[in-house]
Amino acid sequence: MFKFWKRTPKDEAPKEPAPVPAEAGVENVTAAEGTATPSAPNEAASPAIEADQAAVETAPDETAAPAARRSWRERLAGSTFARNLGTLFSRKPKLDDALLDELETCLLTADVGVAASTTLVEALRKRMARREFADADALLAALRDALLELIEPVAKPLRLDATPRPFVLLMVGVNGVGKTTTIGKLARHFQRHGESVLLAAGDTFRAAAVEQLKAWGARNGVPVIAQGSGADSASVIFDALQAARSRQADILIADTAGRLHTQAGLMDELGKIRRVLGKLDPDAPHEVLLVIDGTTGQNAVNQVRQFREAVGVTGLVVTKLDGTAKGGVIFALAREFGLPIRFVGLGEGVDDLRIFDPAAFVDGLLPARLCGE
């Protein structure tokens, strides 16, 4: 009734709308227009579609304050390997065959594999028979050395120093291993080392894959060459290689459709991609990275075997090793194939994709007292 008596506070100012961030880094190229973002030269032969706002909203929050980088031990502490070994040796067990039997069980349940577990335990058994160990901690130290000896030969970082440019990196793997996310993290890794990166949205089989890769491109400020869902994957990656050449990009990272190693048709498509790329560069792709989920256990061995036969895998990325992953599959893969392990995923953050460090990995799985922590 007396509303006209109310007064507006003098210090209250009208609110201004918050500025809307631009979609930086997403490639906007069409076959007809031949236009591109200001960060790259114009290029006329690379068909693509615009990334819409919904795609950008799927990218992780870039404005959040970065958390302190957690150590390998903090990331691996929850693994089956670390928990079982910690429990076994925390009670200061007696040096006998029962201890070795329990150790072998720990290794097997952590996905180290039958062959690798048997080899490791039998070597320790022979040394124990020769009375080389004063106590259980001495045996544990010997286990550390044996584990390191097993995986050190496969710890080979990806080197780009003397490689042709653009360096073509083809990413393969089954559904759900974190392949597209790994591509986004790899792009950031290479950017930090001064490399210019271009992404190819070659996963045209999964409906949301193109938009997901564009979201990562927007986050990292990296151009993405893409066509619509259902387009020919080999054609998309071919166009992307042409674009990378014309723009003198250092690295082209090409996504591919996630597929089961038992899907012959999709596996054959990888062979087609290699043949098509070979028309522009006989050596392309220069690296074929197979992304493996660290929680899949011995099924990872079958995946590596099939993908290596189909497309000639040259390196591995093992993801999801943080949390409750068993952790031992890396030892099984090293013994079975000897393929270089380029990177490992230790978390969901963009900085949690790390160059594989065998000593940090093994020490993260073993009790802290053994490493002087």
Side-chain angles (χ1 to χ4, degrees), residues 213-228:
L213 192 65
K214 285 182 178 179
W216 274 105
R219 180 181 183 184
N220 292 329
V222 174
V224 179
I225 302 300
Q227 296 180 17

Side-chain angles (χ1 to χ4, degrees), residues 105-350:
T105 300
C106 287
L107 296 176
L108 289 171
T109 55
D111 285 335
V112 174
V114 174
S117 298
T118 301
T119 300
L120 289 166
V121 171
E122 290 307 311
L124 293 174
R125 196 184 303 277
K126 291 177 181 178
R127 295 184 61 183
M128 190 175 72
R130 295 194 296 266
R131 301 182 181 277
E132 294 185 20
F133 307 131
D135 53 26
D137 280 351
L139 183 144
L140 187 57
L143 174 63
R144 175 189 183 275
D145 293 341
L147 291 172
L148 269 177
E149 185 179 353
L150 183 59
I151 62 174
E152 278 180 333
V154 301
K156 298 176 181 177
L158 190 59
R159 303 292 185 190
L160 306 179
D161 300 336
T163 57
R165 303 302 171 100
F167 183 87
V168 181
L169 186 57
L170 188 66
M171 305 293 293
V172 299
V174 303
N175 287 310
V177 296
K179 180 165 49 65
T180 305
T181 299
T182 298
I183 291 173
K185 294 178 180 180
L186 277 174
R188 176 66 66 89
H189 168 80
F190 290 129
Q191 284 179 312
R192 287 177 175 169
H193 287 77
E195 309 284 357
S196 59
V197 182
L198 191 71
L199 303 182
D203 184 358
T204 57
F205 187 74
R206 182 167 62 93
V210 173
E211 303 307 323
Q212 184 184 0
L213 192 65
K214 285 182 178 179
W216 274 105
R219 180 181 183 184
N220 292 329
V222 174
V224 179
I225 302 300
Q227 296 180 17
S229 178
D232 181 65
S233 179
S235 174
V236 174
I237 297 174
F238 181 86
D239 289 338
L241 180 53
Q242 286 184 316
R245 279 183 154 191
S246 67
R247 300 171 193 194
Q248 299 182 340
D250 294 317
I251 300 171
L252 170 65
I253 307 178
D255 195 8
T256 60
R259 63 206 74 212
L260 295 174
H261 50 284
T262 55
Q263 292 176 311
L266 288 175
M267 293 296 282
D268 290 343
E269 186 182 78
L270 293 177
K272 177 183 177 182
I273 291 172
R274 291 196 71 123
R275 293 192 300 272
V276 169
L277 288 175
K279 295 178 180 179
L280 285 179
D281 184 348
D283 296 324
H286 306 100
E287 178 83 7
V288 180
L289 276 183
L290 173 60
V291 183
I292 293 291
D293 183 341
T295 67
T296 57
Q298 291 302 299
N299 190 40
V301 174
N302 295 328
Q303 292 174 25
V304 174
R305 185 176 294 113
Q306 296 294 329
F307 275 95
R308 189 175 63 167
E309 292 176 1
V311 72
V313 172
T314 56
L316 302 177
V317 180
V318 185
T319 63
K320 305 180 184 181
L321 287 175
D322 58 315
T324 58
K326 294 185 177 181
V329 68
I330 282 183
F331 301 102
L333 295 173
R335 187 186 188 281
E336 181 79 15
F337 303 105
L339 284 170
I341 298 177
R342 307 295 195 186
F343 300 91
V344 293
L346 298 179
E348 297 180 357
V350 71

